Amino acid sequence: MLPVTHYPVERFTLPNGLRVVLTPDSSAPVVGVAVVYDVGIRSEPEGRTGFAHLFEHLMFQGSANLEKLAHFRHVQGSGGTFNGSTHFDYTDYYETLPGNALERALFLEADRMRGPRLTEENLRNQVDVVKEEIRVNVLNRPYGGFPWLKLPPVMFDTYPNAHDGYGSFTDLEAATVADAAEFFDKYYAAGNAVVAVAGAFDVATAKALVEKHFSDVPARPAPALPDFSEPDLTSERRETYTDKLAPLPAVASAWRVPDPLKDLTGYLPYVVLAEVLTDGDASRLVERLVLRDRAVTSVGGYIGFMGEPFAVRDPTALLLQAHLPPGGDVEKVLRTIDEEADRLANDGLAEGELARTQARMVTHLLRDTDAVLGRAMQMAVLEVQRGEPGLLNDLPRLVGEVTEEQIRAAAASLTVGRRATVEVVAGGAS
């Protein structure tokens, strides 16, 4: 019997369109606050690659009533922590604080929802910060951008799905304050956001505080989402590039999966399949490729290019990636993946294999939302994308209900003709 959660969920919407999710938990005297905006890498305008991430930085450079660095000072001065992050389909901002500092967090988030300080000085220094991040995380790092930046342009054809979400230096340097203001007006609307609070608070008090601080944020409706749709692949796509810093070869492949939002029942078997193939020493590909054949030094599998299966829209993919030893044979690795997918589709799972995998997955789900901030963040994303924050309580059960037949059917769909692959040639071996 798999464990389940029963986190309470209270939802309401302010007159300005802001959606709010409250989930109280008095087990520890802390609160997690998450604000999620329904805009991510896929929504950024053409010619402005990296803009969603750049704007995340700008949201920390002061706001309507607060000077630069004030957000840092007020959160840390309360004994709290904070950050933000940009994803393919959303951007989040969050704090963990002592329970008695909840109002402070709400004030800070409401103030920058009214408007960040979009000045030429702030824009230029944050462009430089993002450029340095690209240098550190992509350009000057072995396997930088592999596979999350390298594989989408192989698999996809449209700008929203295929472009470099970190951004080109040319596009970043061309950004103007007017561009930033337009982006804020369009995407950082109250009607395009969710505030989620989890932890030690009284629901009535928290609701009153949210209304106090957010009710006067100007009402602007959510913009229409761009069309992200693309047809599935009908023939294999492959690209190879040399990484001057990589000491060893690597390869990553991806296959499209059903729509996570419109077809959760069809999607979940792929989430479980990725774990069957790669989670732990007893998994199919680890046992075969790493332990028996020694064809790779590591192999991993996950859903979505950022590995967040319950926080992504269609189109997305199941990814398998591996690093090879010196002189490793990429073709052999791909053949082995094909063989194991065929064997799983035709012969099914070993006794206890599915139950073991589901138990591990449920453990991870419970661990990731045990802390109040993880719970608030996940519920905020579920509300933004599905209008169902309470799905958090159902996910362990739904994972446990995936059947062997569904896994076999998903494995059968991992065909060569639906595969996109990117291969890293090691250029730094010497």
Side-chain angles (χ1 to χ4, degrees), residues 55-92:
F55 202 87
E56 175 219 318
H57 281 252
L58 290 172
M59 287 286 279
F60 286 95
Q61 302 306 301
S63 54
N65 295 294
L66 294 168
E67 74 279 10
K68 190 172 182 176
L69 302 180
H71 195 109
F72 300 62
R73 178 165 50 82
H74 286 301
V75 175
Q76 293 174 335
S78 301
T81 60
F82 66 95
N83 213 329
S85 58
T86 309
H87 304 251
F88 273 76
D89 292 305
Y90 66 96
T91 306
D92 58 26

Side-chain angles (χ1 to χ4, degrees), residues 340-426:
E340 288 302 313
D342 287 344
R343 187 164 69 92
L344 185 52
N346 293 321
D347 301 338
L349 292 99
E351 184 178 354
E353 185 177 9
L354 179 56
R356 180 184 69 241
T357 301
Q358 289 167 320
R360 288 169 68 104
M361 292 180 69
V362 168
T363 298
H364 293 322
L365 286 169
L366 297 177
R367 182 188 62 197
D368 291 345
T369 56
D370 183 56
V372 291
L373 181 59
R375 203 175 311 155
M377 290 172 66
Q378 186 66 67
M379 284 193 176
V381 175
L382 291 172
E383 173 64 39
V384 160
Q385 295 183 347
R386 301 169 180 269
E388 293 183 81
L391 182 63
L392 182 72
N393 288 319
D394 297 327
L395 286 175
R397 174 183 58 81
L398 294 171
V399 165
E401 289 176 353
V402 172
T403 67
E404 177 175 350
E405 287 306 310
Q406 290 175 307
I407 298 294
R408 293 176 65 172
S413 75
L414 304 189
T415 61
V416 174
R418 298 183 63 247
R419 182 173 70 195
T421 297
V422 63
E423 176 184 347
V424 180
V425 175

Side-chain angles (χ1 to χ4, degrees), residues 28-284:
V30 295
V31 290
V33 176
V35 181
V36 171
Y37 294 88
D38 196 357
V39 57
I41 289 168
R42 283 202 265 211
S43 296
E44 59 194 15
E46 290 195 50
R48 291 291 178 267
T49 60
F51 206 91
H53 178 222
L54 171 62
F55 202 87
E56 175 219 318
H57 281 252
L58 290 172
M59 287 286 279
F60 286 95
Q61 302 306 301
S63 54
N65 295 294
L66 294 168
E67 74 279 10
K68 190 172 182 176
L69 302 180
H71 195 109
F72 300 62
R73 178 165 50 82
H74 286 301
V75 175
Q76 293 174 335
S78 301
T81 60
F82 66 95
N83 213 329
S85 58
T86 309
H87 304 251
F88 273 76
D89 292 305
Y90 66 96
T91 306
D92 58 26
Y93 304 87
Y94 48 89
E95 296 88 12
T96 303
L97 305 106
N100 60 8
L102 172 60
E103 183 169 12
R104 179 169 294 194
L106 296 175
F107 163 74
L108 294 170
E109 290 295 353
D111 203 58
R112 62 178 167 187
M113 187 179 288
R114 291 186 193 92
R117 295 201 176 196
L118 302 177
T119 66
E120 184 68 21
E121 178 187 2
N122 284 344
L123 177 61
R124 298 274 70 88
N125 65 39
Q126 291 311 301
V127 165
D128 288 341
V129 169
V130 172
K131 287 166 62 179
E132 185 60 22
E133 276 195 29
I134 295 171
R135 292 186 187 99
V136 171
N137 294 330
V138 180
L139 301 180
N140 297 324
R141 172 179 291 186
Y143 313 104
F146 172 79
W148 78 278
L149 293 179
K150 299 296 186 180
L151 197 46
V154 181
M155 170 165 267
F156 298 119
D157 295 319
T158 65
Y159 169 81
N161 298 312
H163 76 275
D164 181 345
Y166 235 143
S168 74
F169 284 11
T170 300
D171 284 356
L172 290 167
E173 289 166 353
T176 67
V177 173
D179 292 331
E182 181 182 0
F183 192 83
F184 176 80
D185 288 341
K186 182 175 184 179
Y187 291 110
Y188 277 69
N192 207 38
V194 168
V195 174
V197 184
F201 59 84
D202 172 74
V203 170
T205 302
K207 185 173 182 179
L209 290 174
V210 169
E211 291 172 343
K212 172 183 175 182
H213 291 287
F214 287 93
S215 289
D216 65 347
V217 174
R220 300 197 311 279
L225 278 173
D227 182 9
F228 302 144
S229 62
E230 288 201 32
D232 196 359
L233 298 184
T234 55
S235 61
E236 184 184 18
R237 294 185 180 183
R238 290 187 64 167
E239 284 192 12
T240 299
Y241 72 97
T242 299
D243 185 334
K244 294 184 293 185
L245 300 176
L248 298 170
V251 65
S253 292
W255 296 260
R256 288 279 295 276
V257 297
D259 187 325
L261 303 189
K262 295 180 180 177
D263 185 14
L264 183 59
T265 300
Y267 174 75
L268 279 172
Y270 289 86
V271 180
V272 179
L273 173 61
E275 303 295 320
V276 169
L277 290 172
T278 64
D279 186 25
D281 289 349
S283 64
R284 296 290 179 112

